[in-house]
């Protein structure tokens, strides 16, 4: 987790498809993927935006820093003490290094492709958030959706999948199209339920994902219309009230 600071706010980050075509599989004699099957819908509620003027100001500032790739400006926002970077094996922050150095390492800001700055911009752009347990006054974004954990685990068991195979609509009536094109025919609209991401024969389009709907239909949705659970997060901590 990385901790950033602006006036009364501190921010922190937690860092916690491709396949062969059917024709290629036939040529190689590989077995064809099983036909998608229907599954029991599990209701999910997308996270809500946070109404906090100070947080909005900080997010705007972070977005500008990311756009300009301005490390010096970012360093001014990074807390000097209390920096933390939570991964699967606990706090990965190097206490011997500065906060900005830890942040740069976590985000990969030195990468020439600029992916680390893009990641920071993505965090800054997300308006949702939820409290982080075990840390006082900490709000993390993007927030996870709300759903019945047992029902979701039952869904994973019945479909022999894991959580990474599923996403949820970020808005109502997400359109599922027959082809990975913005003007493709709409074959179905998603309700407020989890949708399975197809791992076989996925779309070659960078802006579309192939999905299997609860009814068993396959189609394509915009990558911006759905979100996974368990995202990496940027967390904001209130200081001095």
């Amino acid at each position: 987790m990385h901790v950033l600071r602006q006036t009364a706010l501190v921010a922190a980050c937690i860092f916690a498809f491709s396949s062969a075509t059917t024709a290629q599989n036939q040529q190689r004699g590989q077995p064809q993927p099983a036909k998608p099957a229907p599954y029991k819908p599990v209701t999910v509620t997308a996270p809500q935006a946070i109404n906090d003027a100070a947080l909005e100001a900080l997010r705007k500032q972070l977005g500008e820093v990311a756009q300009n790739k301005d490390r010096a400006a970012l360093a001014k926002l990074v807390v000097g003490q209390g920096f933390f970077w939570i991964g699967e094996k606990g706090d990965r922050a190097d206490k011997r290094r500065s906060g900005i150095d830890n942040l740069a390492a976590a985000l990969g800001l030195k990468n020439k492709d600029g992916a680390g700055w893009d990641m920071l911009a993505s965090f800054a752009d997300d308006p949702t958030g939820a409290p982080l347990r075990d840390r006082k006054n900490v709000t993390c974004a993007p927030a996870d959706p709300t759903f019945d954990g047992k029902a979701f685990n039952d869904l994973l068991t019945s479909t022999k999948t894991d959580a990474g195979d599923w996403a949820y609509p970020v808005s109502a009536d997400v359109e599922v199209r027959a082809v990975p094109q913005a003007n493709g025919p709409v074959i179905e609209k998603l309700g407020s339920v989890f949708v399975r991401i197809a791992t076989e024969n996925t779309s070659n389009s960078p802006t579309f994902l192939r999905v299997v709907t609860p009814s068993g239909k396959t189609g394509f949705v915009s990558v911006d219309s759905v979100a996974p659970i368990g995202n990496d997060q940027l967390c904001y901590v209130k200081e001095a009230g």
Side-chain angles (χ1 to χ4, degrees):
M1 180 177 282
H2 330 295
V3 181
L4 311 177
R5 177 178 58 208
Q6 182 200 28
T7 59
L9 288 175
V10 179
C13 296
I14 304 175
F15 285 89
F17 316 94
S18 63
S19 60
T21 63
T22 301
Q24 289 173 329
N25 286 338
Q26 292 174 340
Q27 292 173 0
R28 298 172 183 174
Q30 296 178 357
Q32 298 303 304
K35 183 178 179 180
Y39 52 86
K40 184 177 180 179
V42 173
T43 301
V44 58
T45 302
Q48 300 299 307
I50 300 175
N51 183 18
D52 188 311
L55 178 57
E56 288 298 310
L58 176 58
R59 288 179 46 240
K60 180 179 179 180
Q61 187 173 9
L62 286 174
E64 293 172 350
V65 166
Q67 183 178 7
N68 295 324
K69 297 181 174 61
D70 190 341
R71 176 171 169 139
L74 181 59
K76 294 178 181 179
L77 303 179
V78 180
V79 64
Q81 296 182 346
F83 186 99
F84 55 98
W85 169 13
I86 306 302
E88 293 181 357
K89 297 182 179 180
D91 192 347
R92 298 177 57 189
D94 186 342
K95 304 307 179 182
R96 299 167 299 180
R97 304 179 68 188
S98 67
I100 183 59
D101 285 342
N102 275 290
L103 178 60
L107 287 173
L109 295 184
K110 292 183 179 180
N111 294 346
K112 295 182 179 180
D113 61 3
W117 292 107
D118 291 342
M119 184 181 296
L120 181 61
S122 179
F123 284 134
D125 191 52
D126 194 289
T128 67
L132 177 64
R133 290 180 296 179
D134 304 326
R135 290 187 181 271
K136 187 178 181 180
N137 296 328
V138 179
T139 298
C140 298
D144 283 328
T146 303
F147 56 94
D148 185 325
K150 182 181 183 304
F152 185 59
N153 286 334
D154 290 344
L155 176 64
L156 300 184
T157 300
S158 65
T159 55
K160 298 180 180 180
T161 58
D162 58 41
D165 296 320
W166 298 86
Y168 64 93
V170 297
S171 60
D173 297 325
V174 169
E175 296 177 332
V176 182
R177 300 184 182 277
V179 293
Q181 299 175 3
N183 59 352
V186 177
I187 61 173
E188 193 170 337
K189 291 185 178 181
L190 297 178
S192 297
V193 298
F194 279 105
V195 61
R196 184 173 180 178
I197 305 300
T199 56
E200 306 91 359
N201 303 323
T202 54
S203 167
N204 290 324
S205 170
T207 58
F208 281 87
L209 287 174
R210 190 181 187 204
V211 299
V212 180
T213 69
S215 65
K217 294 181 181 179
T218 58
F220 299 88
V221 298
S222 167
V223 296
D224 296 329
S225 66
V226 296
I229 59 174
N231 280 311
D232 295 337
Q233 292 178 307
L234 181 71
C235 299
Y236 307 92
V237 184
K238 291 238 178 182
E239 278 189 333

